Amino acid sequence: MENPLSYRDNVLHIEEVALDTVARRAGTPCYIYSANAILCRFRAYDKAFGDQAHKVCYSVKANGSLSLLALLATAGSGFDIVSGGELFRVLRAGGDRSSVVFSGVGKTAEEIEYALEREIHSFHCESESELFLIDALAARLGKRARVAVRINPDVDTATHPYISTGLRQHKFGIDIAGVEGVYERARAHRNLDLEGVSCHIGSQLLSSEPLLEALDHLLALVERLRAKGFPIRYLDLGGGLGVPYKPGEQAPSISDYIARMCSRVGGRGLTLMVEPGRSLVAEAGILLCRVLYRKRNGDKEFVIVDAAMNDLLRPSLYAAHHEILPVRRDDRRGTIQADVVGPVCETGDFLARDRQMANVLPGDLVAIAMAGAYGFVLSSNYNARPRAAEVLVAGKGWRIVRQRESYEDLVRGEVV
Ligand code: LLP
């Protein structure tokens, strides 16, 4: 399923479900995800590996909703987590703890203990002090910890500077130039099994070249580490594959990317792992909202909707582009050029700027496309706005998988 969205009789549908039907029962703003679009992308990854030993570990940070995690767990996905909270979510959703990898530069002792007790697959370590801490905590709990060092391969990626991670100047990973020494020194840690190498060089990459370049660096490193006696069994290349947010943009195909990856690795006795987030869920989701008002200030036209930067932060934070689609298409109305903004009291609160779009009017529904990744997870209660509801669609069926927050939810845990 390339795109779960389509117009039928001029009404926008996700899979077989008309979006106005969902709005009537679930209200707006509301995130809506297509289960089949997610499964289709997961299977594209999984199948492309063919006979190559592999594990696809969905990156929970992209969208941690329990219903999505459960869907992917049932399909056989592993999980890439960056916090104890994400591990809790994966376990609550029925995910397999033995296929969880734990990334992140700032794991706390409590989080490491929690993950050791649950016997996850491995820790991806980003500093020598972290290796030291994991070893000490494993000793105390009588556990062994499988670890991979997260390598910073110093590969440049043409993506937004906030989501590029693979250069020496970034906080992530350990510089490839000195990493063999790190493995050598870690031999002294008796409770660690140094069996992997990992990296993640950035996100929203519209070419697979930098990823394959990083892979080549890691494969050469694996040879050097094996020659030193380290039993390196797996290589995790992280996530990063982009999606075409803008019309005309081209993203690499999942199966081509994986096929190219496998052809470079074949026959080395390595298990390959990837940690896709965005490329599994972005295109599967929309943020449905309703137009509240139209107004004009000088030359500028504004469409004010009931979703805001607290619901979808990507436009404000990364100047990200999301297509805005009317739920009811009416070509007679023509188009406008407008800023689509929300109710939050910030000039930076916008969902689109100077956008040529359908001439929508107060009361109309609009869908903000490709909002399945880094949408709900980045939402907040800023301006005391309850967080949106979430809906999962499969074929003709749909259900609310997260209730809209209430005012009571806003004050839970607070005292006067
Ligand atoms: N693995 C690690 C270690 C990561 O740090 C990330 C993303 C992923 C996997 C998944 O990458 P993906 O396949 O989704 O590109 N909030 C930003 C994206 C931040 C990405 C952070 N790390 C955005 O909305 O564009």
Side-chain angles (χ1 to χ4, degrees):
M1 178 181 292
E2 269 310 296
N3 181 354
L5 295 178
S6 63
Y7 282 97
R8 301 182 183 187
D9 293 331
N10 289 319
V11 176
L12 191 58
H13 285 60
I14 184 162
E15 297 202 29
E16 319 264 314
V17 175
L19 293 180
D20 49 0
T21 316
V22 178
R24 269 197 295 278
R25 209 175 89 208
T28 55
C30 169
Y31 276 96
I32 309 176
Y33 312 114
S34 151
N36 286 310
I38 297 171
L39 289 176
C40 162
R41 284 161 180 78
F42 174 77
R43 292 192 191 114
Y45 269 104
D46 206 35
K47 264 180 65 184
F49 280 103
D51 295 338
Q52 165 69 49
H54 70 279
K55 192 80 201 174
V56 179
C57 293
Y58 168 60
S59 192
V60 175
K61 66 175 80 62
N63 188 326
S65 291
L66 291 183
S67 60
L68 263 57
L69 300 180
L71 183 75
L72 285 161
T74 307
S77 184
F79 297 94
D80 158 52
I81 59 161
V82 287
S83 69
E86 285 190 349
L87 177 54
F88 178 79
R89 285 190 159 278
V90 167
L91 298 175
R92 180 57 68 88
D96 172 16
R97 66 203 166 115
S98 69
S99 49
V100 170
V101 298
F102 193 169
S103 313
V105 285
K107 305 176 188 78
T108 66
E110 291 73 21
E111 288 175 317
I112 294 168
E113 277 180 350
Y114 178 40
L116 282 168
E117 278 162 355
R118 296 304 180 283
E119 299 183 343
I120 63 165
H121 179 270
S122 52
F123 293 84
H124 291 174
C125 300
E126 306 218 14
S127 63
E128 291 203 67
S129 18
E130 184 191 331
L131 286 164
F132 190 89
L133 179 61
I134 295 175
D135 181 57
L137 294 172
R140 200 164 83 196
L141 296 173
K143 303 271 184 194
R144 297 199 62 76
R146 190 181 293 116
V147 300
V149 173
R150 173 163 171 188
I151 320 284
N152 187 326
D154 198 30
V155 168
D156 205 355
T157 54
T159 188
H160 190 281
Y162 286 9
I163 52 176
S164 169
T165 50
L167 280 178
R168 204 165 278 149
Q169 74 229 37
H170 296 134
K171 71 174 176 181
F172 297 101
I174 295 183
D175 189 349
I176 193 160
V179 81
E180 285 162 68
V182 175
Y183 277 85
E184 292 283 8
R185 288 189 288 282
R187 277 191 213 269
H189 299 317
R190 290 293 161 79
N191 307 285
L192 303 185
D193 293 321
L194 293 151
E195 292 181 1
V197 295
S198 75
C199 79
H200 168 80
I201 59 170
S203 199
Q204 182 52 13
L205 307 183
L206 290 176
S207 156
S208 54
E209 291 307 324
L211 291 159
L212 297 169
E213 192 186 330
L215 174 62
D216 289 341
H217 291 310
L218 257 62
L219 286 173
L221 175 68
V222 168
E223 297 307 321
R224 296 199 296 277
L225 289 171
R226 282 178 166 176
K228 292 186 156 110
F230 292 99
I232 304 296
R233 297 183 218 285
Y234 76 93
L235 183 159
D236 184 332
L237 201 53
L241 217 58
V243 297
Y245 284 111
K246 286 187 192 150
E249 222 164 40
Q250 283 280 331
S253 103
I254 292 171
S255 46
D256 284 359
Y257 163 54
I258 297 300
R260 291 181 71 192
M261 191 174 161
C262 291
S263 72
R264 282 162 138 94
V265 175
R268 288 176 209 244
L270 270 179
T271 296
L272 286 185
M273 295 167 90
V274 284
E275 303 167 359
R278 188 187 322 264
S279 53
L280 286 181
V281 296
E283 291 157 288
I286 60 149
L287 174 59
L288 185 65
C289 53
R290 201 177 281 282
V291 178
L292 298 174
Y293 305 103
R294 283 274 299 268
K295 79 173 191 182
R296 177 178 275 280
N297 272 351
D299 287 341
K300 232 176 172 21
E301 187 71 42
F302 290 95
V303 174
I304 303 165
V305 297
D306 63 1
M309 66 188 292
N310 75 294
D311 299 299
L312 180 65
L313 185 59
R314 303 193 70 256
S316 306
L317 189 58
Y318 312 112
H321 179 104
H322 287 264
E323 283 290 287
I324 311 246
L325 307 168
V327 168
R328 278 189 183 277
R329 192 164 62 181
D330 181 353
D331 292 338
R332 291 165 309 183
R333 287 228 206 133
T335 60
I336 51 169
Q337 181 167 327
D339 281 15
V340 180
V341 300
V344 161
C345 299
E346 298 262 357
T347 305
D349 176 32
F350 57 87
L351 298 162
R353 275 193 155 160
D354 293 325
R355 183 68 60 82
Q356 199 67 36
M357 60 181 283
N359 183 12
V360 290
L361 296 172
D364 288 350
L365 291 167
V366 294
I368 303 175
M370 300 184 69
Y374 306 108
F376 188 92
V377 281
L378 278 166
S379 67
S380 76
N381 292 125
Y382 188 39
N383 280 198
R385 289 170 52 81
R387 288 183 304 164
E390 290 184 297
V391 163
L392 187 62
V393 172
K396 289 193 175 74
W398 65 276
R399 62 202 167 92
I400 297 175
V401 292
R402 184 198 298 260
Q403 296 294 336
R404 179 178 313 287
E405 284 180 340
S406 65
Y407 286 163
E408 280 303 321
D409 291 328
L410 292 179
V411 295
R412 177 148 305 127
E414 284 188 63
V415 289
V416 176

